[in-house]
Amino acid sequence: MAAIAKEEDAEAEEEIWRYIFGFVEMGVVKCAIELGIADALEAHEGQPMTLSQLSTTLSCSPSPLYRIMRFLVHRRVFKEETTGYTLTPISRRLITHGERSMAALLLLESSPVMLAPWQALAVHVREENRLTAFEATHGEDLWEYAAGHPSHSKLLNDGMACRARGAVPAIIEGRAKLFEGIGTVVDVGGGNGTTVRLLVKAFPWLRGINFDLPHVVSTALPCDRVEHIGGDMFKSVPKADAAFLMSVLHDWEDEDCIQILRICREAIAGDNGKVIIVDAMIKEEKEYKYKDVGLMLDMIMMAHTNNGKERTQEEWSHILDKAGFSRYTFTPIPAVPFVIEAYP
């Protein structure tokens, strides 16, 4: 027993440093995005770049750049070969204009606005339902803040577009028949329209409605077969064959979700009408590979939203039952979220 205790103590001594300096990885990766390291390597046509070439291209001093690269190579973000640095599957997601880029989401979560509420997380835990961490920091909730700060609203919409570019291909792969028999879909809380643009491209028979707050859809780009409509999902949702909600309901407490879902249920029409929810799920099984991501997202909800949370399957079933759906299915896809199909 003493030997086991000594081994556990040694592991704890190593592990605690990861929590003390947990911000370092985010900070250095943010630095890499802002410097444009992945973009420079991608533009080099797949050939390795030496430190000298990289520092010249980025107009950086070689010494601190070397230390940045040494750290990120150790974290497998980049790879160092005998002839220079190259991309890895991780750093390909840092290319700012890549199809699977996650750069904008990291820039959102590492922004001063989103980092500051973590300093007030204990306030929310002590005073649950009285003052959220974001409100304690900024004096208003996330959505009010975004409405009054266009630059942060853009960061928020760009970050959500990142998640869409990762999730929609996984939806197509994992649930290819999702839109069979569906002619029109309204993307509720669709942001800048990235999700619905990807959906109508993947399913050529679809017509889409991108629905969000007026100040959000005002920045959306025109797209064939997509109409942008501003409004309030707590009051009404445009009529369609299907209502689609991706990474929306986890922002809200149960009663708000039930209200949104009831409104969406009333908005869908036709024999094949349904509400499609794409959101994370808390799974207790150790072998579930996205368990840690789900638990981290739950902490994000606590820090940034008014009582939003990630839910277990039982918690999802509860709000779907309360919203009046007769049946629903849960389908895993090769990504963090599940696809939930709910029928009136």
Side-chain angles (χ1 to χ4, degrees), residues 214-259:
H215 77 272
V216 176
V217 298
S218 67
T219 65
L221 297 175
C223 177
D224 289 343
R225 308 198 330 271
V226 172
E227 180 182 6
H228 301 289
I229 297 178
D232 183 347
M233 65 183 176
F234 285 99
K235 296 179 179 178
S236 66
V237 167
K239 299 288 185 182
D241 296 324
F244 186 90
L245 302 100
M246 183 162 71
S247 301
V248 171
L249 295 179
H250 71 169
D251 292 332
W252 304 96
E253 63 184 345
D254 285 0
E255 289 306 313
D256 288 332
C257 288
I258 293 165
Q259 181 181 348

Coordinates of all heavy atoms in Angstrom, one line a residue, residues 214-259:
P214 N -31.9 40.1 -35.1 CA -31.7 41.0 -36.3 C -30.2 41.5 -36.4 O -29.7 41.5 -37.6 CB -32.6 42.1 -36.0 CG -33.7 41.5 -35.2 CD -33.1 40.5 -34.3
H215 N -29.6 41.8 -35.3 CA -28.2 42.3 -35.5 C -27.2 41.3 -35.9 O -26.2 41.5 -36.4 CB -27.7 43.0 -34.2 CG -27.3 42.0 -33.1 ND1 -28.2 41.5 -32.2 CD2 -26.1 41.5 -32.8 CE1 -27.5 40.7 -31.4 NE2 -26.3 40.7 -31.7
V216 N -27.6 40.0 -35.7 CA -26.7 38.9 -36.1 C -26.9 38.6 -37.6 O -25.9 38.5 -38.3 CB -27.1 37.6 -35.3 CG1 -26.2 36.4 -35.8 CG2 -26.7 37.8 -33.8
V217 N -28.2 38.4 -38.0 CA -28.4 38.1 -39.4 C -28.1 39.2 -40.4 O -27.9 39.0 -41.6 CB -29.8 37.6 -39.7 CG1 -30.1 36.3 -38.9 CG2 -30.8 38.6 -39.4
S218 N -28.0 40.4 -39.8 CA -27.6 41.6 -40.7 C -26.2 41.4 -41.2 O -25.9 42.1 -42.2 CB -27.7 42.9 -39.9 OG -26.7 42.9 -38.8
T219 N -25.4 40.6 -40.6 CA -24.0 40.4 -41.1 C -23.9 39.2 -42.0 O -22.8 38.9 -42.5 CB -23.0 40.3 -40.0 OG1 -23.3 39.1 -39.2 CG2 -23.1 41.5 -39.0
A220 N -25.0 38.4 -42.2 CA -24.9 37.2 -43.0 C -24.8 37.5 -44.5 O -25.4 38.4 -45.0 CB -26.1 36.3 -42.7
L221 N -24.0 36.7 -45.2 CA -23.8 36.9 -46.6 C -24.9 36.2 -47.4 O -25.4 35.2 -47.0 CB -22.4 36.2 -47.0 CG -21.2 36.8 -46.4 CD1 -19.9 36.0 -46.8 CD2 -21.0 38.3 -46.8
P222 N -25.3 36.8 -48.5 CA -26.3 36.2 -49.4 C -25.9 34.8 -49.8 O -24.7 34.5 -50.0 CB -26.4 37.2 -50.6 CG -25.8 38.4 -50.1 CD -24.7 38.1 -49.1
C223 N -26.9 33.9 -50.0 CA -26.6 32.6 -50.5 C -27.8 32.0 -51.2 O -29.0 32.3 -50.8 CB -26.3 31.7 -49.3 SG -26.1 29.9 -49.6
D224 N -27.6 31.4 -52.3 CA -28.7 30.8 -53.1 C -29.5 29.8 -52.2 O -28.9 29.0 -51.5 CB -28.2 30.0 -54.3 CG -27.6 31.0 -55.4 OD1 -28.0 32.2 -55.3 OD2 -26.9 30.5 -56.3
R225 N -30.8 29.9 -52.3 CA -31.7 29.0 -51.6 C -31.7 29.2 -50.1 O -32.2 28.3 -49.4 CB -31.4 27.5 -52.0 CG -31.4 27.2 -53.4 CD -31.5 25.7 -53.8 NE -31.1 24.7 -52.9 CZ -29.8 24.3 -52.8 NH1 -28.9 24.7 -53.7 NH2 -29.5 23.3 -51.9
V226 N -31.2 30.3 -49.6 CA -31.2 30.6 -48.2 C -31.8 32.0 -48.0 O -31.3 33.0 -48.7 CB -29.8 30.6 -47.6 CG1 -29.8 31.1 -46.2 CG2 -29.2 29.1 -47.6
E227 N -32.7 32.1 -47.1 CA -33.3 33.4 -46.7 C -32.9 33.7 -45.3 O -32.9 32.9 -44.4 CB -34.8 33.3 -46.8 CG -35.5 34.6 -46.5 CD -37.0 34.5 -46.5 OE1 -37.5 33.4 -46.7 OE2 -37.7 35.6 -46.3
H228 N -32.4 35.0 -45.1 CA -32.0 35.4 -43.7 C -33.2 36.2 -43.1 O -33.6 37.2 -43.6 CB -30.8 36.2 -43.8 CG -29.6 35.5 -44.4 ND1 -28.9 34.5 -43.8 CD2 -29.0 35.7 -45.6 CE1 -27.9 34.1 -44.5 NE2 -28.0 34.8 -45.7
I229 N -33.6 35.7 -41.9 CA -34.7 36.4 -41.2 C -34.3 36.7 -39.8 O -33.8 35.8 -39.1 CB -36.0 35.5 -41.2 CG1 -36.5 35.3 -42.7 CG2 -37.1 36.1 -40.4 CD1 -37.7 34.4 -42.8
G230 N -34.5 37.9 -39.3 CA -34.3 38.3 -38.0 C -35.5 38.2 -37.1 O -36.6 38.4 -37.5
G231 N -35.3 37.8 -35.8 CA -36.4 37.6 -34.9 C -36.0 37.1 -33.6 O -34.8 37.1 -33.3
D232 N -36.9 36.7 -32.8 CA -36.7 36.2 -31.4 C -37.2 34.8 -31.3 O -38.5 34.6 -31.3 CB -37.3 37.2 -30.4 CG -37.0 36.8 -28.9 OD1 -36.5 35.7 -28.7 OD2 -37.3 37.7 -28.1
M233 N -36.4 33.8 -31.0 CA -36.8 32.4 -31.0 C -37.7 32.2 -29.8 O -38.4 31.1 -29.7 CB -35.6 31.5 -31.0 CG -34.7 31.6 -29.8 SD -33.3 30.5 -29.9 CE -32.4 30.9 -28.4
F234 N -37.7 33.1 -28.8 CA -38.6 32.9 -27.6 C -40.0 33.4 -27.9 O -40.9 33.2 -27.1 CB -38.1 33.7 -26.4 CG -36.9 33.0 -25.8 CD1 -35.6 33.5 -26.1 CD2 -37.0 31.9 -24.9 CE1 -34.5 32.8 -25.5 CE2 -35.9 31.3 -24.4 CZ -34.6 31.8 -24.7
K235 N -40.2 34.0 -29.1 CA -41.6 34.5 -29.5 C -42.1 33.7 -30.7 O -43.3 33.4 -30.6 CB -41.5 36.0 -29.8 CG -41.1 36.8 -28.6 CD -41.0 38.3 -28.9 CE -40.6 39.1 -27.7 NZ -40.5 40.6 -28.1
S236 N -41.4 33.5 -31.7 CA -41.8 32.8 -32.9 C -40.7 32.3 -33.7 O -39.6 32.9 -33.6 CB -42.8 33.7 -33.7 OG -42.1 34.7 -34.3
V237 N -40.9 31.3 -34.6 CA -39.9 30.8 -35.5 C -40.6 30.7 -36.8 O -41.7 30.2 -36.9 CB -39.4 29.4 -35.0 CG1 -38.6 28.7 -36.0 CG2 -38.6 29.6 -33.7
P238 N -39.9 31.0 -37.9 CA -40.5 30.9 -39.3 C -40.9 29.4 -39.5 O -40.3 28.5 -39.1 CB -39.4 31.3 -40.2 CG -38.5 32.2 -39.4 CD -38.6 31.6 -38.0
K239 N -42.0 29.3 -40.3 CA -42.6 28.0 -40.6 C -41.6 27.3 -41.6 O -41.0 27.9 -42.5 CB -43.9 28.2 -41.3 CG -45.0 28.8 -40.5 CD -45.5 27.9 -39.4 CE -46.6 28.5 -38.6 NZ -47.1 27.6 -37.5
A240 N -41.5 26.0 -41.4 CA -40.6 25.1 -42.2 C -41.0 23.7 -42.0 O -41.7 23.3 -41.1 CB -39.1 25.4 -42.0
D241 N -40.4 22.8 -42.8 CA -40.7 21.4 -42.6 C -39.9 20.8 -41.4 O -40.3 19.9 -40.8 CB -40.2 20.6 -43.9 CG -41.1 20.9 -45.1 OD1 -42.3 21.2 -44.9 OD2 -40.6 21.0 -46.2
A242 N -38.7 21.5 -41.2 CA -37.9 21.0 -40.1 C -37.3 22.3 -39.4 O -36.9 23.2 -40.1 CB -36.8 20.1 -40.5
A243 N -37.2 22.2 -38.1 CA -36.4 23.2 -37.4 C -35.1 22.6 -36.9 O -35.1 21.5 -36.4 CB -37.2 23.7 -36.2
F244 N -34.0 23.3 -37.1 CA -32.7 22.8 -36.8 C -32.0 23.7 -35.8 O -32.0 24.9 -35.9 CB -31.9 22.8 -38.1 CG -30.5 22.2 -38.1 CD1 -30.3 20.8 -38.4 CD2 -29.4 22.9 -37.8 CE1 -29.1 20.2 -38.3 CE2 -28.1 22.4 -37.7 CZ -28.0 21.0 -38.0
L245 N -31.6 23.1 -34.7 CA -30.9 23.8 -33.6 C -29.6 23.2 -33.3 O -29.5 22.1 -32.8 CB -31.8 23.9 -32.4 CG -33.2 24.4 -32.5 CD1 -34.2 23.3 -32.6 CD2 -33.5 25.3 -31.3
M246 N -28.5 23.9 -33.6 CA -27.2 23.3 -33.4 C -26.4 24.2 -32.4 O -26.3 25.4 -32.6 CB -26.3 23.2 -34.6 CG -25.0 22.5 -34.4 SD -24.2 21.9 -35.9 CE -23.7 23.4 -36.7
S247 N -26.0 23.6 -31.3 CA -25.3 24.3 -30.2 C -26.0 25.5 -29.8 O -25.5 26.6 -29.6 CB -23.9 24.7 -30.7 OG -23.1 23.6 -31.1
V248 N -27.3 25.4 -29.6 CA -28.2 26.5 -29.1 C -28.8 26.1 -27.8 O -28.7 26.9 -26.8 CB -29.4 26.7 -30.2 CG1 -30.4 27.7 -29.6 CG2 -28.8 27.3 -31.5
L249 N -29.4 25.0 -27.6 CA -30.2 24.7 -26.4 C -29.3 24.6 -25.2 O -29.7 24.8 -24.1 CB -31.0 23.4 -26.6 CG -32.1 23.6 -27.6 CD1 -32.9 22.2 -27.8 CD2 -33.1 24.7 -27.3
H250 N -28.0 24.2 -25.4 CA -27.1 24.1 -24.2 C -26.8 25.4 -23.6 O -26.3 25.5 -22.5 CB -25.8 23.4 -24.6 CG -24.9 24.1 -25.5 ND1 -23.6 23.7 -25.7 CD2 -25.0 25.2 -26.2 CE1 -23.0 24.5 -26.5 NE2 -23.8 25.5 -26.8
D251 N -27.2 26.5 -24.3 CA -27.0 27.9 -23.7 C -28.1 28.2 -22.7 O -27.9 29.3 -22.1 CB -27.0 28.9 -24.9 CG -25.8 28.8 -25.8 OD1 -24.8 28.4 -25.4 OD2 -26.0 29.2 -27.0
W252 N -29.1 27.4 -22.6 CA -30.3 27.8 -21.8 C -30.7 26.8 -20.8 O -30.5 25.6 -21.0 CB -31.5 28.1 -22.8 CG -31.1 29.1 -23.8 CD1 -30.7 28.8 -25.1 CD2 -31.1 30.5 -23.7 NE1 -30.4 30.0 -25.8 CE2 -30.7 31.1 -24.9 CE3 -31.5 31.4 -22.7 CZ2 -30.6 32.4 -25.2 CZ3 -31.4 32.7 -22.9 CH2 -30.9 33.2 -24.1
E253 N -31.3 27.3 -19.7 CA -31.8 26.4 -18.7 C -33.1 25.6 -19.2 O -33.6 25.9 -20.3 CB -32.2 27.2 -17.4 CG -33.3 28.2 -17.6 CD -33.5 29.0 -16.3 OE1 -33.0 28.5 -15.3 OE2 -34.2 30.0 -16.4
D254 N -33.5 24.6 -18.4 CA -34.6 23.7 -18.9 C -35.8 24.4 -19.4 O -36.4 24.2 -20.4 CB -34.9 22.7 -17.8 CG -33.8 21.6 -17.7 OD1 -32.8 21.7 -18.4 OD2 -34.0 20.7 -16.8
E255 N -36.3 25.4 -18.5 CA -37.6 26.0 -18.9 C -37.5 26.8 -20.2 O -38.4 26.9 -21.0 CB -38.0 26.9 -17.7 CG -38.5 26.1 -16.5 CD -39.6 25.1 -16.8 OE1 -40.6 25.5 -17.5 OE2 -39.5 24.0 -16.4
D256 N -36.4 27.5 -20.4 CA -36.2 28.2 -21.6 C -36.1 27.2 -22.8 O -36.7 27.5 -23.9 CB -34.8 29.0 -21.6 CG -34.9 30.2 -20.6 OD1 -36.0 30.7 -20.5 OD2 -33.9 30.6 -20.1
C257 N -35.4 26.1 -22.6 CA -35.4 25.1 -23.7 C -36.7 24.6 -24.0 O -37.1 24.4 -25.2 CB -34.5 23.9 -23.3 SG -32.7 24.4 -23.3
I258 N -37.5 24.3 -23.0 CA -38.9 23.8 -23.3 C -39.7 24.8 -24.0 O -40.4 24.5 -25.0 CB -39.6 23.5 -21.9 CG1 -38.9 22.3 -21.3 CG2 -41.1 23.2 -22.1 CD1 -39.2 22.1 -19.8
Q259 N -39.6 26.1 -23.7 CA -40.3 27.2 -24.4 C -39.8 27.2 -25.9 O -40.7 27.3 -26.8 CB -40.1 28.5 -23.8 CG -40.8 29.6 -24.5 CD -40.6 31.0 -23.8 OE1 -40.0 31.1 -22.7 NE2 -41.0 32.1 -24.4

